[in-house]
Amino acid sequence: MCGIVGYIGPRSAQDVVISGLRRLEYRGYDSAGIAVGHDGVLEARKKSGKISCLDTHLADDPLPASHQGIGHTRWATHGGPSDTNAHPHLSQSGRVALVHNGIIENFATLRSELEAEGVRFVSETDTEAAAQLLGYLVDAGAPLAEAMRSVAARLDGAFTLVAIDAHDPDRVVAARRNSPLVVGVGQGENFLGSDVAAFLEFTRDAIELGQDQVVEITRESVEITNLDGTPAGDVTPYHVDWDIAAAEKGGFDWFMRKEIHEQPRAVADTLLGRYAASGELVLDEVRISPEELRRIDKIVIVACGTAFYAGMVAKYAIEHWTRVPCEVEIASEFRYRDPIIDPMTLVVTISQSGETADTLMAIRHAREQHAKVIAICNTNGATIPRESDAVIYTHAGPERGVASTKGFLTQVVACYLLGLYLAQVRGMKYRDEIAAVMDELSSMPEKIQRVLDDSQQVLDLAGELKDEHSFLFLGRHVGYPVSLEGALKLKEIAYKHAEGFPAGELKHGPIALVEQGLPVFVVVPPRGRDQLHDKVISNIQEVRARGARTIVIVEDGDDEVLPYGDVVIRHPRVSTLLQPLVATVPLQLFACELAARLGHDVDQPRNLAKSVTVE
Ligand code: F6R
């Protein structure tokens, strides 16, 4: 989820690009770079670290004056954060510079094709394949826009590409698929940005580029074409009223709400590039051999907070698919109880930030016992993936709200990918069985979107219940960690007393808490798990009989539950193991809305920090 800026016009390209990058830094901040054209030559400066590091570099090594430029602030996916992997990437001849947001799934094929033609690559990124291919076509005589259309047509995956050609100082060209790009329409100048925040201080007229379209901007024109070169249809600009702060949040009031709404895209990005055309799962960041994975006899998942709940969800799937015993441990407890781990144990750590000290210490302990460690992490190059034997990145993009939302959903998806991968290498699942789960996983972004589209009822409910003091959350099987996550969200941002329980455990004590009017959320399993479904219905009746106000989260078409739910929140039908991906979303929205209505700082709740680097 990187930030991209492009500019052509009378101002200093460096000033416009750097100010745009600063506005987009929330999209990624592990490295930044800029390229400008000057006298038929491209000059690029790039640096790992925040934009301030690039500023220092530019002060030491200034760029020539230019009116054509592109820039990038990176959230690393392929290739760790480093000066070399930072964008822009230049073609071998140095004639073309390109920045990219997204993931190019077939970069390895393109790279070997180009290497066979004598092109030398310098970075570990997927992006460089696009830069080199574009340069190759331009060197062969194609105009930049035509070359960009050919490149876009060759790529699989998600991308926004923006490029300049040193021999064409009057133009910036871009393309997009499944990744955002907006054109800022000025007077005698034009802009490109990942979102409008990039250019809002210069113009408020914008055009959103459509799927599989290429745009050419000059000072006086904006020309949009489809990949076959035909002109795009309606391209009337719209006017943006947001202030800059709102623009950074995509028009939402809080980053947390924006991140909840980003989940369809984030889940799609986690899945991108994981499933080969041959029908095999490919997790190329797993640097543990299939032989070693076949030898493991125990899996231990270690994490904190929301990531721990993602691990609890994953346990059900991993054990079901692999038949390997799987434990889930709170990281801060792990090493102090002298856990039984050895070289046959696979330790899976989950961390959005990749810097959580408790999780890091658990990794160090596990590696001292010679266990293999796989990290599931959102932050490329963070300490946790660096200290692990292998890593699966979630590719969710930066999470700014302290309360983790897209982090959770993408962690569950990444754990499922790992579970399926283990089942594949251990021969526990046929290829068609894996394909069936992957098919359902790839339908999840659309299903999550439907939950978001139908969320008004949950928002109204938050308004109704905002003055309640206490809430219970119940679930069974994967619905149990979902209920823990629902309670945690409410505690951390709304400061409400909230508890999650396994629904069957209530009668062993906590049911004494139930009193007249107590709001009790219940995650009802899909009817595919018939026994479980009926058991949860009995649990709902138990609390309702004692005066609870029941808010039930159920799949579409489940009417058996209607007589027992005071409020019925529906989600699209999914299989049992995938239910957390839709059932968690209303709980996130409920907490976010309730906290917002109480006037709390939703993104920076009291007493909490996004990255907990102390034990
Ligand atoms: C809750 C939350 C925390 C984190 C936990 C682990 O919304 O954000 O519970 O999940 O501190 O953080 P990471 O995933 O960065 O290791």
Side-chain angles (χ1 to χ4, degrees):
M1 196 188 137
C2 313
I4 284 184
V5 186
Y7 177 69
I8 188 90
R11 300 174 205 261
S12 148
Q14 176 175 333
D15 290 352
V16 175
V17 168
I18 296 291
S19 100
L21 291 183
R22 261 190 251 292
R23 301 283 180 211
L24 296 182
E25 199 166 20
Y26 74 91
R27 296 180 64 89
Y29 34 75
D30 61 49
S31 44
I34 176 171
V36 299
H38 175 76
D39 272 351
V41 176
L42 290 184
E43 294 263 2
R45 306 283 183 273
K46 46 192 199 166
K47 211 68 201 148
S48 63
K50 295 199 168 197
I51 292 168
S52 51
C53 303
L54 177 63
D55 285 338
T56 314
H57 183 43
L58 284 167
D60 293 345
D61 187 7
L63 281 172
S66 172
H67 304 285
Q68 173 205 36
I70 58 175
H72 189 265
T73 175
R74 181 164 187 246
W75 182 255
T77 54
H78 289 74
S82 67
D83 292 356
T84 313
N85 289 337
H87 302 209
H89 288 279
L90 266 62
S91 62
Q92 182 161 275
S93 65
R95 184 172 158 183
V96 162
L98 175 138
V99 291
H100 164 227
N101 174 30
I103 296 167
I104 298 168
E105 291 184 287
N106 57 337
F107 77 97
T109 316
L110 295 172
R111 184 172 174 143
S112 14
E113 276 176 30
L114 288 160
E115 281 174 340
E117 296 290 323
V119 176
R120 267 192 330 105
F121 280 69
V122 292
S123 78
E124 303 152 315
T125 62
D126 52 342
T127 305
E128 197 184 348
Q132 296 290 11
L133 180 58
L134 190 70
Y136 185 82
L137 297 173
V138 168
D139 287 344
L144 188 62
E146 190 187 312
M148 182 64 95
R149 283 190 285 271
S150 311
V151 169
R154 285 288 323 269
L155 302 185
D156 295 334
F159 52 83
T160 300
L161 305 171
V162 181
I164 50 176
D165 171 4
H167 296 184
D168 188 355
D170 299 324
R171 206 171 311 273
V172 182
V173 169
R176 77 162 279 255
R177 178 188 303 155
N178 294 329
S179 179
L181 183 67
V182 193
V183 184
V185 184
Q187 301 282 326
E189 60 183 346
N190 286 305
F191 307 80
L192 297 167
S194 301
D195 62 52
V196 294
F199 49 72
L200 220 47
E201 61 189 292
F202 305 112
T203 178
R204 291 184 162 271
D205 294 322
I207 297 169
E208 206 137 328
L209 202 66
Q211 188 75 332
D212 278 324
Q213 289 185 337
V214 167
V215 62
E216 259 181 276
I217 57 168
T218 64
R219 289 182 183 218
E220 298 298 340
S221 67
V222 174
E223 212 173 297
I224 302 180
T225 50
N226 301 309
L227 293 193
D228 60 6
T230 55
D234 180 22
V235 286
T236 323
Y238 60 92
H239 191 75
V240 184
D241 294 322
W242 297 336
D243 61 20
I244 286 182
E248 285 184 354
K249 296 182 192 127
F252 291 100
D253 49 354
W254 297 103
F255 276 109
M256 180 186 178
R257 204 188 295 274
K258 173 172 182 265
E259 286 155 7
I260 293 172
H261 282 264
E262 274 169 10
Q263 290 180 118
R265 178 76 261 138
V267 165
D269 285 349
T270 310
L271 290 169
L272 218 55
R274 311 292 196 183
Y275 197 50
S278 61
E280 299 248 308
L281 270 167
V282 190
L283 299 182
D284 46 5
E285 307 99 321
V286 177
R287 296 177 297 271
I288 302 175
S289 71
E291 291 68 39
E292 285 171 304
L293 290 175
R294 277 193 275 274
R295 278 201 297 271
I296 59 156
D297 60 10
K298 183 166 75 168
I299 297 168
V300 184
I301 302 180
V302 186
C304 306
T306 287
F308 171 70
Y309 297 150
M312 284 179 74
V313 171
K315 171 186 162 75
Y316 292 91
I318 291 177
E319 285 192 335
H320 184 61
W321 291 332
T322 66
R323 308 312 296 159
V324 179
C326 177
E327 297 167 11
V328 193
E329 284 263 358
I330 298 236
S332 54
E333 291 292 317
F334 181 66
R335 66 182 172 137
Y336 301 104
R337 70 165 181 87
D338 194 14
I340 303 169
I341 43 176
D342 59 30
M344 314 284 251
T345 310
L346 178 67
V347 172
V348 178
T349 59
I350 310 175
S351 175
Q352 189 286 131
S353 63
E355 299 295 346
T356 302
D358 291 320
T359 311
L360 186 60
M361 293 308 159
I363 292 175
R364 289 181 183 159
H365 182 76
R367 294 194 77 193
E368 275 161 23
Q369 318 299 310
H370 307 289
K372 291 282 176 204
V373 178
I374 294 187
I376 289 182
C377 185
N378 192 35
T379 314
N380 205 311
T383 315
I384 285 176
R386 279 206 316 271
E387 295 209 9
S388 301
D389 295 295
V391 52
I392 299 173
Y393 286 111
T394 49
H395 299 323
E399 202 175 49
R400 288 275 293 264
V402 162
S404 187
T405 52
K406 61 177 179 174
F408 177 76
L409 254 60
T410 54
Q411 285 160 354
V412 170
V413 171
C415 286
Y416 280 13
L417 290 169
L418 176 63
L420 289 171
Y421 181 71
L422 290 173
Q424 173 181 290
V425 297
R426 295 169 69 92
M428 297 302 293
K429 282 240 167 277
Y430 298 127
R431 213 179 260 196
D432 57 353
E433 292 174 309
I434 291 178
V437 183
M438 286 305 294
D439 272 358
E440 200 186 354
L441 273 171
S442 35
S443 74
M444 292 314 291
E446 183 256 322
K447 289 179 174 149
I448 298 165
Q449 188 59 54
R450 270 162 51 200
V451 176
L452 293 167
D453 293 343
D454 295 343
S455 58
Q456 194 53 48
Q457 177 196 17
V458 175
L459 305 184
D460 294 343
L461 185 69
E464 260 176 66
L465 299 183
K466 74 178 192 334
D467 297 320
E468 295 291 336
H469 295 294
S470 225
F471 296 79
L472 292 190
F473 292 78
L474 308 179
R476 278 178 184 250
H477 193 259
V478 287
Y480 165 43
V482 170
S483 63
L484 291 170
E485 174 61 3
L488 177 61
K489 290 287 92 94
L490 209 51
K491 284 183 237 198
E492 63 182 330
I493 57 168
Y495 317 144
K496 294 287 186 187
H497 172 247
E499 300 284 349
F501 292 109
E505 182 64 11
L506 215 62
K507 57 187 178 295
H508 298 290
I511 200 161
L513 290 170
V514 177
E515 55 188 15
Q516 198 59 38
L518 177 79
V520 180
F521 284 80
V522 188
V523 181
V524 181
R527 285 156 301 166
R529 296 302 309 271
D530 41 1
Q531 260 199 335
L532 213 56
H533 178 265
D534 296 351
K535 292 251 159 35
V536 170
I537 294 205
S538 306
N539 299 139
I540 300 172
Q541 293 180 58
E542 285 159 18
V543 291
R544 204 156 182 264
R546 288 160 177 85
R549 177 168 185 190
T550 55
I551 301 141
V552 297
I553 300 178
V554 298
E555 68 175 356
D556 281 339
D558 182 353
D559 292 336
E560 275 172 65
V561 82
L562 291 186
Y564 316 110
D566 294 307
V567 178
V568 178
I569 297 169
R570 296 206 173 270
H571 62 67
R573 293 184 66 171
V574 291
S575 59
T576 306
L577 285 170
L578 298 196
Q579 192 196 18
L581 299 176
V582 282
T584 310
V585 179
L587 303 181
Q588 297 168 335
L589 285 164
F590 179 77
C592 180
E593 179 69 11
L594 198 140
R597 289 196 189 215
L598 289 175
H600 297 325
D601 185 334
V602 171
D603 287 335
Q604 291 183 340
R606 68 185 183 203
N607 307 338
L608 293 175
K610 186 69 189 155
S611 197
V612 187
T613 51
V614 288
E615 272 192 276

